[in-house]
Amino acid sequence: DNTVIYLVKNATLKLKAGDANFQNGCNFYIAQGAKIVTDGDFKPNSCNFYNHGTIEAANVLPNGNSLIYNVGTIKTGKVTLNNAETKLVNDGDLSASELYTAGSSKFQNNGIATISGKTTVNSNDNIWVNNGKYTTATYTYQAGSSEVVNNCSMTVTGEFYMNLGGNAGQNSFRMDGDASCVVGSFKAQGPFYIY
């Protein structure tokens, strides 16, 4: 708990599968050119990661009040943000097979996010914001939130699916001026709103 670790330029921290469970209150500063690599899941538990280098892991599964702030590169399988105040801000390059957000988690992309599989936004208390370039195979938006916003370039190569449930109200999919969303197909069921 409450450990501060600095990975300096060109340093590599290799962790065995099962050893990338980071405890409450830890802060990691990863310099440009440095790496954290694990064959297992990367699991911050109420800690902060400031990444200017590279994080490579089977899956990225933060929980609690965790923050991952990425200016560098993240390469992983599934990214799951689904509880407490978990936050992922991407100002760099994020490559993942899947992105799943739920609960009161927050995701913001200001860089390049490439999701080879599905993106799922699944909470009426969720924040998902794209201010950069976001590409995904499918995009499923259910349980509408007031903070699901595309401000820039979004591409869904397959299906964009919306079903915001019975309490959609002010909740919607929002597009700001000059934003674009290009999809392979669009399917909406139940109440849905696009502003």
Side-chain angles (χ1 to χ4, degrees), residues 53-131:
T54 301
I55 297 172
E56 294 179 8
N59 300 294
V60 173
L61 310 172
N63 59 53
N65 190 24
S66 291
L67 166 66
I68 300 174
Y69 179 68
N70 180 51
V71 181
T73 301
I74 296 176
K75 297 178 184 177
T76 189
K78 186 174 183 178
V79 176
T80 301
L81 310 168
N82 64 5
N83 63 8
E85 292 293 319
T86 304
K87 297 171 280 295
L88 172 57
V89 178
N90 178 50
D91 281 354
D93 191 348
L94 169 65
S95 297
S97 63
E98 185 176 341
L99 176 72
Y100 180 87
T101 66
S104 54
S105 66
K106 297 167 178 59
F107 173 81
Q108 182 171 318
N109 177 53
N110 305 315
I112 298 172
T114 305
I115 311 301
S116 61
K118 60 185 176 180
T119 296
T120 305
V121 179
N122 187 27
S123 171
N124 55 18
D125 193 29
N126 199 213
I127 294 175
W128 181 96
V129 176
N130 176 45
N131 295 321

Side-chain angles (χ1 to χ4, degrees), residues 144-156:
S145 167
S146 60
E147 294 296 329
V148 176
V149 185
N150 177 39
N151 289 321
C152 198
S153 172
M154 180 176 176
T155 302
V156 182

